[in-house]
Amino acid sequence: MNPRPTRSAPFPSREEIAAFIRESPGRVGKREIARAFKLNADQRTVLKELLRDMERDGVVHKGAGRQFSEPGTLPSVAVVVITGIDDDGDPLAKPLNWDEAELGKAPRIVMMPERRGQPAIGIGDRVLARLERLRDRFYEGRTIRRLATAPARVLGILTDDGGEWRIRSADKRNRNDFIVSAGDTLGARHGELVRAEVTPGRRLGLRRARVVERLADATGPRSISTITLHEKDVPTEFTPEAQRQADAAKAAPIGNRADLRDLPLVTIDGDDARDFDDAVWAEPDPDAGNPGGWHLIVAIADVAWYVRPGDALDRCAYERGNSVYLPDRVVPMLPENLSNGWCCLRPLEDRPCMAVDIWIDSQGVIEKHRFRRAMMRSAARLTYTQVQAARDGHPDDLTGPLMETVISPLYGAFDALWKSRIKRGVLDLDLPERKVILNDAGEVVEIQRRERLDSHKLIEEFMISANVAAAETLEKFRQNCMYRVHDSPSLDKLETLRQVLDGIELNLAKAQVIRPQHFNRILEQVADTPHAPLVNEVILRTQAQAAYAPGNIGHFGLALRRYAHFTSPIRRYADLLVHRALIRGARLGEGGLEDTPRDFVDMGQHITSTERRAAAAERDAADRYTALFLSSKVGTVVEGRVTGVTRFGLFVTLVESGGDGLIPMGLLPADDYVLEEDRQRIVGRISRRMFRLGDTLDVLLAEVDPLTGGMILHLVGGGSESPERPHRRSSKVKVRPARTARKSGPRKRRR
C-alpha cells in the first residue's frame, strides 16, 4: 500500500507575508515565515526567491542576521544619536547611519529621562538604547549605555583675543568658549559667524575646536537674525531653477474665473505687512429667509496657479514649509516677486484668487458656502489701526468713503460671528505678545506689547469661517485634506493643572469631559486678580500642540469639529495643499492635487516640524534682540514673573520687555528647597519660603548676553510663605543651593 502523499499548505501571497512581518512584534527570518505558513521544503525555496523580490521592491527590509521587517521598523535594541529636544524637554533621536534615501524619513524616537544621578544626554550624543514601539513610526527609547561620540558641532562667533583665537558659542545652553588654533580658523576673520567641530584636548580648561564652515559677518545688530537662521537651519536661498520660474511668472488670464473686480474687497493687515494674501467683503443677506444674516466673501491669493505640484517652486516651498518672520526681515516661503508680487493682493491691481462665499445667520452659524476661482481687484490696502480708528469714529481720507459700503458691513458680520464664538466656548487665554521695534540702522528702540484690537478679531473670525468651509467642502468632495488639528489635553497634564489650582483654592472637576469653556470659567474667576498670570500660564501648558495631519480629530481650542488652513498659501504650505485639493474636488481648472499625491501623513509631520522650527527661530531672535536692548540696563531692578520652576533654578519673564532670564538655584536665599513638580513650585524646608509658577518677583539684571539671548538674574524681592510643610512624595526632588551666591551660571544647563 502506497503512503498517502503529503499535502502542501497554500502558498502565501506577497500581501500575506508583508502583513505577517508587519504584525510580528520583532524582526522575523525566513524560518519563522515558513513555520507560520506551514511550508514544505520546495515551498521554502520559492519563499526565498519571493523574499528577495520583495526586498528589491522595497516591500520588506532585510537587516542583520537575515531578519526581515517592514521598512522603517526598528529593532528592540539599537544605537541612536540624539538629534534635538522636543517642546517638553525630552531628547529626540534617530537610528545611527539611517539612510533616508533608501528607507525614507526616520521613525520618531523620544528618549525617556535618564536614571537619577546620571547626566542628561545632549544633542550629538550616541547611546545604545532599548526601543519600544508605541505606534506606527513612533518609539520610546531608554538608555542602556552611552557610547563614545563623534566630535560635536558648535555655532558661534570667532574672536581674536590678543592673538589667541576663540569661539563664543551662540547656544544659551552651552555658553562656554572654545579655543581655536591659528591653523584651524579656515581663514575666517574676527567677528565672523562660523560652524566648528569640537576636537580632543583642552587648554586653560576650555575645549578645543576647529572651524569647518564660514557663514557670515556677525557684526552689527542685524547679525542677530543671521545667527538665529543658521542656528535653526532655516533655508534662506532659493534654487536657481525656482528663482527663474518665479521671474518668468506673469498675469493669470481670467479664463473661466468669476469676475469680482467690481466688488469692493479690501485687505486689512499690520502697518508693516508687505504680503497681502487675503481680502474680505460683507453685505446683509438679501434672502428674506435669513433675517439678520450675512453674506461674506473671503478671497485668497491663488498661489496654486503659480506653484504646481512637484515643480521647482513647489520643492522649495515644501522644504521651507512656511515663512519665518523676524524683527528685521522675513524669510519667505516663496520668492519675493511672487509673495510680494503676483500673489500679493495689491490695491487697484487685477489678481487671481480663490474665493469662498459664506452665508451665516444672525447668530454667526454657517448656513452654506461655495468656492470659486475668481479675478479680483482690491479696493484698498487698509491697516488694523486705520480700520479700528474708523470704527471708533475717526475715519481718514482712505477709510471715510468706505465706511458705509465696506467697513460697517464687515463689523456687522463680525458681531454675528462673535456670538457664535462665545456660544462655542472658544478657549480665551490672555497671553501678552511682544513686538520688537527697530530703527533704520537695525537697532532696538522699543519693545512693545502687541495690541489686539477688534479689527484683529474681525479678520480672525472671517478667516476661521473660511477655514471651516474649506474642511467641510473637502469632506463633501472626499478629497485629501490637510487638517489643522488640536487634541484635547492629556490626563497627566490635567492632573498637574488640578494640583496647581488646588493650591489657590480653585477646582477643576474630574468627572467630566473637558471642554474649552471649563477653562474659560476658571479664567473668569481669576480675571483682574494676582492669580491671573499663573492660571493663564498653567492652562496654556496644559494644552496639546496644534499640528497638521490628514486624520481629523477636531480643533479643541477653537471648539470646532473640523478645521483646515486655507487663508495663507503665500506663507504656509498646508494652505497650498488645501487650495489644490479644493481645485481638484470642485473641478476649478489647473493646479489641483496630482492623481497620486504624496503621503499626506509624512507631509503633515514635515510641515508641522517646519512650523515649530519657524516659531523657535522667531522666539530666539526676539530673545536676542531683547537681550541687546537690555544690555545697557545691567544693574537695574525690574519686575519679572516666574514662568518655569526647575531643579536648577527659576525661569523668569520680565514684565515690561518680555525677555526671559534665569535665577540659578544657587542665587536663591540659603535654604533646603524641595521641588514640587505637580504644584509647579519650590518650597524651603527651613524658611517655608515659596516660589511658584506665575509669582511676581523683583529681579536685578546681573548678566545679559545678546549673542545667546540669555540673562542671569538675581532675586531682590518676592516669593511667599507656604502655609504647609513641603510635600514628601517620591516625585519631589530636593535641591540644596550653596550658602553663598555664585557669580557663574547654573550648574546644570537648560534642557
Side-chain angles (χ1 to χ4, degrees):
M1 184 176 177
N2 294 328
R4 180 179 298 174
T6 303
R7 294 183 60 188
S8 300
F11 193 83
S13 67
R14 286 166 59 105
E15 291 74 18
E16 289 172 326
I17 294 172
F20 175 74
I21 294 171
R22 181 172 60 251
E23 294 165 7
S24 295
R27 294 178 183 261
V28 296
K30 186 180 71 173
R31 178 182 300 176
E32 287 75 20
I33 299 171
R35 286 177 178 173
F37 292 100
K38 300 179 181 179
L39 305 184
N40 61 30
D42 292 338
Q43 289 174 317
R44 291 182 186 218
T45 301
V46 178
L47 175 65
K48 181 178 179 180
E49 295 298 322
L50 180 58
L51 287 171
R52 185 179 292 123
D53 290 342
M54 293 173 69
E55 181 189 2
R56 184 173 55 249
D57 295 341
V59 178
V60 298
H61 172 69
K62 185 165 74 172
R66 299 180 181 178
Q67 302 292 296
F68 293 93
S69 65
E70 181 185 12
T73 304
L74 303 180
S76 58
V77 175
V79 176
V80 301
V81 59
I82 309 304
T83 57
I85 306 294
D86 71 8
D87 294 307
D88 293 325
D90 294 322
L92 301 175
K94 72 174 184 178
L96 187 66
N97 299 326
W98 181 269
D99 187 347
E100 291 198 356
E102 178 184 353
L103 302 173
K105 186 177 180 180
R108 179 181 174 89
I109 304 172
V110 177
M111 298 297 295
M112 293 296 98
E114 299 298 285
R115 294 187 297 272
R116 186 169 296 178
Q118 294 294 316
I121 51 180
I123 297 174
D125 287 348
R126 293 191 298 172
V127 299
L128 182 67
R130 190 174 304 282
L131 304 178
E132 179 182 355
R133 186 178 183 181
L134 302 181
R135 58 181 183 271
D136 185 39
R137 302 184 65 77
F138 185 84
Y139 290 78
E140 180 179 275
R142 297 182 185 276
T143 300
I144 298 175
R145 68 173 182 271
R146 297 167 187 251
L147 305 174
T149 59
R153 292 291 182 98
V154 61
L155 176 74
I157 306 298
L158 185 69
T159 62
D160 182 358
D161 187 11
E164 182 174 76
W165 292 96
R166 294 192 181 194
I167 292 175
R168 291 185 57 215
S169 172
D171 185 350
K172 70 171 65 176
R173 295 170 298 181
N174 181 6
R175 301 172 66 206
N176 296 320
D177 286 1
F178 295 83
I179 297 288
V180 180
S181 299
D184 287 334
T185 64
L186 205 66
R189 298 185 300 273
H190 174 82
E192 277 195 56
L193 179 67
V194 298
R195 289 192 194 276
E197 190 176 77
V198 180
T199 59
R202 290 178 180 268
R203 184 183 173 197
L204 305 175
L206 300 178
R207 297 287 301 275
R208 289 183 174 274
R210 63 184 182 87
V211 176
V212 295
E213 186 179 4
R214 297 171 60 182
L215 299 173
D217 179 19
T219 59
R222 295 192 186 275
S223 65
I224 285 178
S225 291
T226 303
I227 292 169
T228 301
L229 294 171
H230 281 293
E231 183 183 53
K232 300 301 181 186
D233 290 324
V234 175
T236 57
E237 301 294 332
F238 291 98
T239 63
E241 184 184 3
Q243 191 60 60
R244 284 194 298 271
Q245 184 183 338
D247 292 341
K250 57 185 179 181
I254 188 166
N256 293 324
R257 295 176 182 271
D259 193 344
L260 303 180
R261 288 176 290 184
D262 291 334
L263 201 67
L265 287 150
V266 296
T267 63
I268 306 175
D269 296 276
D271 294 358
D272 56 353
R274 297 174 61 195
D275 49 353
F276 320 130
D277 57 357
D278 56 81
V280 292
W281 173 85
E283 67 171 352
D285 189 353
D287 185 354
N290 186 23
W294 294 87
H295 170 213
L296 333 174
I297 293 182
V298 177
I300 308 297
D302 190 359
V303 176
W305 177 262
Y306 293 100
V307 183
R308 302 297 175 91
D311 67 16
L313 282 171
D314 183 55
R315 293 193 297 272
C316 283
Y318 180 69
E319 179 191 17
R320 295 175 182 224
N322 40 258
S323 299
V324 182
Y325 294 84
L326 305 181
D328 68 330
R329 72 187 76 175
V330 176
V331 181
M333 188 180 79
L334 299 173
E336 186 171 354
N337 48 353
L338 285 182
S339 58
N340 295 335
W342 292 113
C343 295
C344 181
L345 305 182
R346 293 176 176 173
L348 308 180
E349 294 185 16
D350 290 1
R351 287 292 184 269
C353 65
M354 287 283 291
V356 55
D357 296 80
I358 306 172
W359 289 267
I360 62 174
D361 66 16
S362 61
Q363 301 302 304
V365 176
I366 296 176
E367 295 283 309
K368 60 181 179 178
H369 47 71
R370 68 174 176 184
F371 284 85
R372 298 185 283 173
R373 225 167 180 178
M375 187 69 71
M376 63 161 286
R377 182 185 294 132
S378 170
R381 178 270 201 261
L382 305 178
T383 69
Y384 292 117
T385 51
Q386 263 184 311
V387 172
Q388 190 63 51
R391 175 66 170 176
D392 294 340
H394 306 288
D396 59 19
D397 292 343
L398 183 58
T399 56
L402 299 173
M403 280 300 302
E404 293 302 318
T405 56
V406 176
I407 295 177
S408 292
L410 287 175
Y411 273 94
F414 164 61
D415 289 341
L417 291 170
W418 195 256
K419 293 175 186 176
S420 175
R421 179 187 179 95
I422 297 300
K423 186 176 181 179
R424 293 200 318 271
V426 175
L427 182 60
D428 190 16
L429 291 169
D430 180 18
L431 300 168
E433 294 183 45
R434 58 182 157 164
K435 181 178 180 181
V436 179
I437 307 298
L438 307 179
N439 61 19
D440 293 340
E443 300 165 332
V444 185
V445 295
E446 188 180 0
I447 297 176
Q448 299 176 346
R449 179 169 175 159
R450 284 189 185 274
E451 284 188 295
R452 182 161 165 76
L453 306 170
D454 279 351
S455 54
H456 289 93
K457 298 173 185 176
L458 182 154
I459 291 300
E460 181 180 310
E461 290 304 313
F462 272 65
M463 298 305 114
I464 288 173
S465 299
N467 291 338
V468 170
E472 290 180 351
T473 300
L474 290 179
E475 287 187 2
K476 174 185 174 182
F477 290 150
R478 298 184 179 180
Q479 289 292 310
N480 284 317
C481 182
M482 187 61 76
Y483 292 97
R484 180 64 166 177
V485 296
H486 183 218
D487 205 353
S488 55
S490 68
L491 295 177
D492 288 345
K493 289 185 176 181
L494 286 173
E495 186 56 36
T496 297
L497 174 62
R498 289 189 180 97
Q499 292 283 347
V500 175
L501 295 177
D502 182 62
I504 55 176
E505 300 182 348
L506 290 172
N507 181 51
L508 180 66
K510 290 186 177 181
Q512 62 183 2
V513 175
I514 292 295
R515 302 188 189 282
Q517 54 259 46
H518 297 128
F519 296 129
N520 288 340
R521 291 191 195 113
I522 293 171
L523 291 167
E524 290 168 4
Q525 293 178 53
V526 299
D528 301 321
T529 74
H531 296 310
L534 165 65
V535 174
N536 274 274
E537 185 72 31
V538 294
I539 289 179
L540 173 65
R541 294 180 180 218
T542 302
Q543 305 308 307
Q545 282 193 297
Y548 294 107
N552 183 31
I553 61 171
H555 196 293
F556 177 83
L558 292 175
L560 292 169
R561 287 182 293 176
R562 57 187 63 83
Y563 192 65
H565 276 164
F566 160 78
T567 54
S568 293
I570 285 180
R571 62 184 181 90
R572 292 189 305 225
Y573 194 84
D575 302 54
L576 178 55
L577 289 175
V578 169
H579 277 231
R580 288 172 176 169
L582 288 166
I583 291 167
R584 178 184 175 91
R587 299 179 181 178
L588 297 177
E590 302 175 42
L593 279 183
E594 59 269 47
D595 291 336
T596 55
R598 286 172 285 177
D599 188 334
F600 262 41
V601 173
D602 286 346
M603 295 176 81
Q605 292 173 348
H606 169 74
I607 57 181
T608 297
S609 68
T610 59
E611 176 190 52
R612 293 176 183 174
R613 176 182 68 187
E618 292 164 1
R619 184 174 58 248
D620 284 6
D623 284 345
R624 289 183 165 104
Y625 274 109
T626 302
L628 179 64
F629 179 67
L630 295 173
S631 59
S632 62
K633 304 181 189 302
V634 170
T636 61
V637 176
V638 295
E639 185 181 23
R641 183 168 289 118
V642 177
T643 53
V645 181
T646 72
R647 294 174 175 84
F648 47 87
L650 303 175
F651 287 102
V652 175
T653 296
L654 306 184
V655 173
E656 186 174 345
S657 67
D660 295 310
L662 174 72
I663 303 178
M665 192 65 71
L667 297 183
L668 291 177
D671 205 333
D672 271 352
Y673 289 95
V674 174
L675 171 64
E676 297 184 3
E677 291 177 296
D678 55 359
R679 295 195 174 193
Q680 293 289 295
R681 67 184 188 180
I682 59 171
V683 182
R685 287 191 182 279
I686 301 169
S687 67
R688 296 195 189 179
R689 192 169 188 177
M690 176 176 64
F691 302 94
R692 63 184 176 183
L693 197 70
D695 277 355
T696 299
L697 307 176
D698 290 327
V699 295
L700 181 139
L701 287 172
E703 298 178 35
V704 177
D705 186 358
L707 177 61
T708 65
M711 292 184 282
I712 297 297
L713 309 174
H714 290 191
L715 178 68
V716 175
S720 57
E721 184 174 329
S722 173
E724 72 272 352
R725 290 284 182 186
H727 289 193
R728 296 178 177 272
R729 290 170 54 184
S730 59
S731 62
K732 308 303 181 285
V733 179
K734 185 185 295 184
V735 285
R736 293 186 174 90
R739 290 286 170 176
T740 57
R742 293 180 288 112
K743 294 183 179 180
S744 60
R747 291 171 181 166
K748 293 185 181 179
R749 61 186 176 90
R750 183 179 183 181
R751 291 180 57 201

